[in-house]
Every structure is written in C-alpha cells, then in structure tokens.
Amino acid sequence: QLQASGGGLVQAGGSLRLSCAASGRAFSNYVMGWFRQAPGKEREFVAAITRSGFSTYYADSVKGRFTISRDNAKNTVYLQMNSVRPEDTAVYYCAARYSRDYSVYDRQYDYWGQGTQVTVSS
C-alpha cells in the first residue's frame, strides 16, 4: 500500500515536498516513481529513483527543479518541488515497480498511491 501526502496550494516560484509512505512489502526491492495527471490530460512520468537511491531520472519538464529521493529505513519516497509553475498543477501519484530498472511508462508500475493534488497559482 502506498500513501501519498504533501500536496496543496502554492504560489508560482514556491516549493512543496511530497511524500509517499509504503507499507506491507520490501520497499527496497522496488523502483519508485512519481507521475502526474492534469485535468484533461494523460498521466505523465515525472521522476523515478532506483532501489538503492543511487540513480534518479526526470522528465525534461521538471529537470533542475524537482528532486526525487528515498529513505529505505522509513519506507518513504519524496518529491521536492522547487520553482513550481502553474503548468505543474496536477494530481501527483507515487508508484512502485518490482524491478531493478526504472520506467517512464505507468503501465510498467505494479502499485499506486491514491494521489495528492498540487495546485500552483500564478
């Protein structure tokens, strides 16, 4: 089970930190990812982190502004969002993939959190 939190309303240029707590499985066996879905759009890849946390991957639209990290001792993955823009407004989902490799395709993730709303005002 994945539980995402930390969403809310933030002004453009501000920061927000999302968290996703996992339970019930060996967290360190899973690649973790963040995806988002804006109204009227398909869900899109945001960021992913390997099982050890050694490697991270980002969509071009968030590279340099967002940072994904994980704490395997706390079974939690984070998404630090800086310099947010109105186009970052979306429901953000965390996801877990039982693999050693990351993926940008949501269909390749096995478990999903419930989503947390992020709204960026201009």
Side-chain angles (χ1 to χ4, degrees):
Q1 182 177 359
L2 301 176
Q3 183 73 35
S5 62
L9 176 64
V10 60
Q11 288 190 332
S15 297
L16 208 59
R17 190 195 197 200
L18 306 184
S19 299
C20 176
S23 62
R25 294 174 181 88
F27 182 72
S28 59
N29 287 341
Y30 290 82
V31 166
M32 297 300 297
W34 286 96
F35 290 76
R36 67 186 181 186
Q37 187 168 22
K41 295 187 176 181
E42 293 187 352
R43 189 159 54 187
E44 65 175 1
F45 171 78
V46 175
I49 188 167
T50 53
R51 297 179 299 181
S52 65
F54 185 77
S55 297
T56 56
Y57 306 89
Y58 298 94
D60 287 343
S61 58
V62 306
K63 201 172 295 183
R65 300 188 298 121
F66 291 9
T67 302
I68 187 171
S69 61
R70 68 190 294 163
D71 185 338
N72 286 345
K74 295 183 178 180
N75 287 4
T76 302
V77 62
Y78 305 97
L79 186 68
Q80 179 66 44
M81 306 169 61
N82 296 332
S83 302
V84 295
R85 304 166 180 168
E87 53 263 39
D88 294 322
T89 295
V91 176
Y92 283 72
Y93 298 90
C94 59
R97 182 172 192 241
Y98 188 69
S99 173
R100 62 185 301 173
D101 299 318
Y102 86 103
S103 173
V104 302
Y105 301 106
D106 57 0
R107 63 181 180 272
Q108 294 186 343
Y109 284 76
D110 303 298
Y111 303 101
W112 290 84
Q114 85 288 2
T116 185
Q117 175 71 48
V118 172
T119 302
V120 182
S121 63
S122 57

